[in-house]
Amino acid sequence: MNKSSIRNITVVAFLGGTLLTGQASADTLLGVYLGGDGWQTDASGSFGNSEPAPDFNFNSKTQGSYFIALEHPVPLLPNIRLAHNPLEAQGVTVLNGQFQFAGRDFAVNSSLSNKVDLTSTDVVLYYELMDNSLFALDLGLNAKHIKGAASVSAQADETLQGQESVSQWLPMAYASSKIGLPLTGLDVFAQGSYIGWSDSRMYDVQAGIGYEIVDSLAVDIRLKLGYRAVNVRLDDLDDLYSNLDFKGVFAGVELHF
């Protein structure tokens, strides 16, 4: 058997093994991804201890999100992605009806300072079903931990205030995809997590365009620009009802070692 035949058999065996594992990874040992986004959010919606809850006014806010992901070629063992997502909004609202929250009564026409903080941490376990320069697809599960609070206080009497805290783990389906545009350094991408149960749901989705400004053996650097939308609809989760939307444009950077 000549060297060419041995080489061909080796290539076929490698490709076959990759297909059997169901995971084609570009990282032969360990790939590390680090990234962060700046997100300009416009928030809207309602919260309370029951439904219907009043709609509140919120100011626009710029907030960041950060992640690290570890990818490997070990068969059947999922990759892992950790992300921290601050999600805050506050504003001032004049009530058009009576409102009871956290055991406190707020009269009609009261001017309230309102604030929500639904910051979350994501622990994502996922598999790479495809991973090449033209198309990438990841599927997995996201354990999202929401830890925060919703609060209101009367502007005329700061001692009149109410707050409800929430701390819950939510299991969510996770998907991420990317399509490369050959010879341009550009790509389009989409990513999201979703869960729905009873009258509750939550989704966190984003889509946009990326551009790889550095492609080297030491590090790849990719810039991102896109649009992100988060909806948090809670039905009596830790005594909190909500239907809140956070939407806006984001820009970020991603490093791959």
Side-chain angles (χ1 to χ4, degrees), residues 8 95 257:
N8 291 339
L95 292 176
F257 300 95

Side-chain angles (χ1 to χ4, degrees), residues 91-195:
V92 175
T93 302
V94 177
L95 292 176
N96 57 14
Q98 289 188 330
F99 179 50
Q100 186 178 70
F101 188 65
R104 307 302 299 271
D105 293 312
F106 301 89
V108 62
N109 294 325
S110 296
S111 182
L112 301 184
S113 298
N114 47 268
K115 182 178 180 180
V116 292
D117 179 358
L118 296 175
T119 294
S120 66
T121 299
D122 295 350
V123 181
V124 182
L125 301 178
Y126 66 95
Y127 292 97
E128 294 182 282
L129 302 187
M130 292 290 292
D131 183 15
N132 57 58
S133 60
L134 294 180
F135 182 64
L137 176 63
D138 301 338
L139 295 177
L141 294 176
N142 177 8
K144 179 182 283 288
H145 183 229
I146 298 177
K147 184 176 178 61
S151 63
V152 294
S153 62
Q155 289 196 314
D157 180 5
E158 293 185 356
T159 64
L160 181 58
Q161 55 184 297
Q163 177 175 300
E164 295 286 6
S165 299
V166 59
S167 180
Q168 291 285 344
W169 286 93
L170 300 179
M172 308 179 73
Y174 171 84
S176 177
S177 64
K178 184 173 70 173
I179 299 175
L181 306 178
L183 306 178
T184 66
L186 295 169
D187 62 78
V188 292
F189 65 89
Q191 177 184 300
S193 296
Y194 176 84
I195 184 176

